Amino acid sequence: MTAESSREYDVIVIGAGAVGENVADRVVRGGLSAVIIESELVGGECSYWACIPSKALLRPGSVLHAAQGIPGATEAVTGTIDANAALKHRDWFTNNWQDGSQVEWLDSAGIDLIRGRGRITGHREVHVDGLDGNSYALKAHHAVVVATGSKPTVPGIEGLQDVPFWTTREATAAKEVPKRFVVLGGGVAGVELAQAFARLGSNVTLVARGRLLSSYAEEAANLVLAGLRADGVAVHLHSDVHKVEKNDDGSIAVALDGKTLVADQLLVASGRHPALANLGLESVGLEARDGRALRLTTDASGLVEGPSGGESNGPWLYAAGDAAGKVLLTHQGKYEARATGDAIVARAKGELKGSPQPWSPWAHTANDHAVPSVVFTDPEVASVGQGLEQALLQGKNVTGVELPINVSGSQLYSPSYKGWAQIVVDEDRKVILGATFAGPGVAELLHSATIAIVGEVPLDRLWHAVPSYPTISEVWLRLMEKYGL
């Protein structure tokens, strides 16, 4: 027999991943009460099955490879990666998939937690089927926030549903390293996990329908391709998978054009989509289709909100992070969460009416101008803002400045260092619109580029930002010089 409990809060957040936690934290800091609803682990996908464990799996190989490239260290490093030790380190980094510390943080922050599955039943109303067997009828005074994240997208390949396969969840939580590992997908998750498992001892084959890392500059992607092949990864580009089936010995056959691959384990890394199924969106007149972004507004602020109704005419339903479908990256989701939480507080206090202004504390403007992203392969790819091709397609008056990364700092990093850098210059305003860096250790170059773009720093002022010597950041000086400064 279940009991139903009625509770009221200022804000109800559905989803306790990094985005939901940040929304709740911001509204509580602003003086409102909040509850988070979560059916899985508090901390969400990034903490347990994505960013954290995947980087933990990649790090041992990157460190070993870096050491092997430096005379003196090369002679000292004679072993190979201990896969079991690497997996144990991954387990530690994910807190062994236990969320006790995250729950303690919620409690210390004054945020209530209900473990269960929530669905919207009306304006500012959410029903929760609790994992404790009870049900909860919740009422929000100000807002309901959908922060349910995303799910893996599984392609409609013949036979795929009839064979056991991994998504990124199973791969990042793997308890052993498969001998023969086939990865379907040439995006960020595909290339990162292909390299991680190759360095852990798998015989890896990667299959991509197009080129590798198609959303990044081809020069940068080609460096990653060379890195994968140097690690023994067999890469099939512009290849379609026609059929997948299980062999009698338990292995998996993957049929390509004129070739069949055999795997002990198959990873499907074909992207992700917003997780919006069974949220009750239809109860408030919204289409409840899983995989379609919950785009509730299209104003210049980027704040995902609406509809109006209920006790007031103001917006009460918000989406942030992957559920909003704008930028499926943890750090941008947390950025959206902070702005969303602050906007809810500002509206509750009467400090915000109508749509926020771009670049205001309540707007998501950076999503349209300066989204930083890193591919944590070896070499890395770090990119922010617009690429040259994208800017040209939009008809902008831009110049691309690119060169190999060959400075004292890169040579210090490794005598065999190979890298590439590009900036995209808006010729009308003489500011940077985008930047891409590829090479070992370039992720730490990215925030300087992000600041330059968000701050719209004029190139003649940026020229006075002198990079320290000898660092890889010297590439900034070389880019400025090649532009003509």
Side-chain angles (χ1 to χ4, degrees), residues 83-171:
N84 288 330
L87 294 176
K88 287 180 181 178
H89 175 67
R90 182 274 322 269
D91 294 348
W92 170 82
F93 212 25
T94 58
N95 289 314
N96 289 291
W97 293 275
Q98 300 294 318
D99 63 359
S101 62
Q102 297 274 12
V103 174
E104 288 178 8
W105 176 82
L106 288 180
D107 185 60
S108 68
I111 302 166
D112 282 0
L113 169 67
I114 298 177
R115 292 189 184 271
R117 293 177 174 82
R119 68 178 184 277
I120 297 165
T121 53
H123 287 83
R124 297 184 175 84
E125 295 178 351
V126 176
H127 178 87
V128 183
D129 293 320
L131 300 184
D132 59 2
N134 296 318
S135 60
Y136 302 85
L138 307 182
K139 177 73 174 179
H141 297 148
H142 295 291
V144 175
V145 182
V146 176
T148 47
S150 60
K151 296 169 57 178
T153 299
V154 179
I157 298 171
E158 181 183 351
L160 184 59
Q161 296 295 344
D162 299 322
V163 303
F165 63 87
W166 283 353
T167 65
T168 51
R169 267 203 173 196
E170 291 79 20

Side-chain angles (χ1 to χ4, degrees), residues 217-279:
E218 191 165 4
E219 293 88 343
N222 285 340
L223 286 174
V224 175
L225 176 60
L228 290 175
R229 286 176 169 161
D231 284 325
V233 178
V235 182
H236 297 269
L237 303 178
H238 306 285
S239 298
D240 288 321
V241 177
H242 299 293
K243 185 178 181 180
V244 176
E245 58 185 347
K246 191 172 183 179
N247 296 322
D248 292 339
D249 63 358
S251 63
I252 300 170
V254 181
L256 310 179
D257 290 320
K259 185 178 182 66
T260 299
L261 309 175
V262 179
D264 298 304
Q265 188 61 62
L266 177 66
L267 167 63
V268 177
S270 303
R272 303 182 67 84
H273 61 268
L276 300 176
N278 304 314
L279 286 179

Side-chain angles (χ1 to χ4, degrees), residues 301-468:
S301 74
L303 190 67
V304 182
E305 60 184 8
S308 299
E311 296 174 1
S312 71
N313 293 323
W316 62 270
L317 180 61
Y318 297 77
D322 287 8
K326 298 193 308 186
V327 183
L328 275 63
L329 293 168
T330 298
H331 48 272
Q332 285 312 110
K334 291 163 72 173
Y335 159 73
E336 295 170 21
R338 294 188 293 269
T340 298
D342 289 351
I344 292 169
V345 172
R347 285 210 168 102
K349 294 180 178 180
E351 298 171 354
L352 173 63
K353 296 179 181 179
S355 297
Q357 291 298 309
W359 297 116
S360 71
W362 312 297
H364 302 171
T365 316
N367 280 343
D368 298 320
H369 299 279
V371 175
S373 63
V374 179
V375 185
F376 286 91
T377 46
D378 184 10
E380 296 172 338
V381 179
S383 179
V384 61
Q386 290 190 315
L388 179 60
E389 183 178 353
Q390 179 186 11
L392 290 172
L393 287 173
Q394 292 179 359
K396 293 184 177 178
N397 180 23
V398 295
T399 296
V401 182
E402 54 272 323
L403 44 72
I405 299 178
N406 184 16
V407 294
S408 296
S410 63
Q411 293 165 5
L412 180 65
Y413 191 101
S414 171
S416 59
Y417 192 99
K418 287 184 174 62
W420 181 80
Q422 180 190 68
I423 57 172
V424 179
V425 178
D426 182 334
E427 292 292 359
D428 295 329
R429 296 185 296 134
K430 296 298 182 180
V431 297
I432 294 175
L433 290 181
T436 300
F437 306 96
V442 298
E444 297 303 330
L445 297 179
L446 192 57
H447 196 54
S448 56
T450 304
I451 292 170
I453 294 169
V454 171
E456 299 181 323
V457 181
L459 285 177
D460 58 2
R461 178 58 63 87
L462 193 60
W463 169 249
H464 294 279
V466 181
S468 297

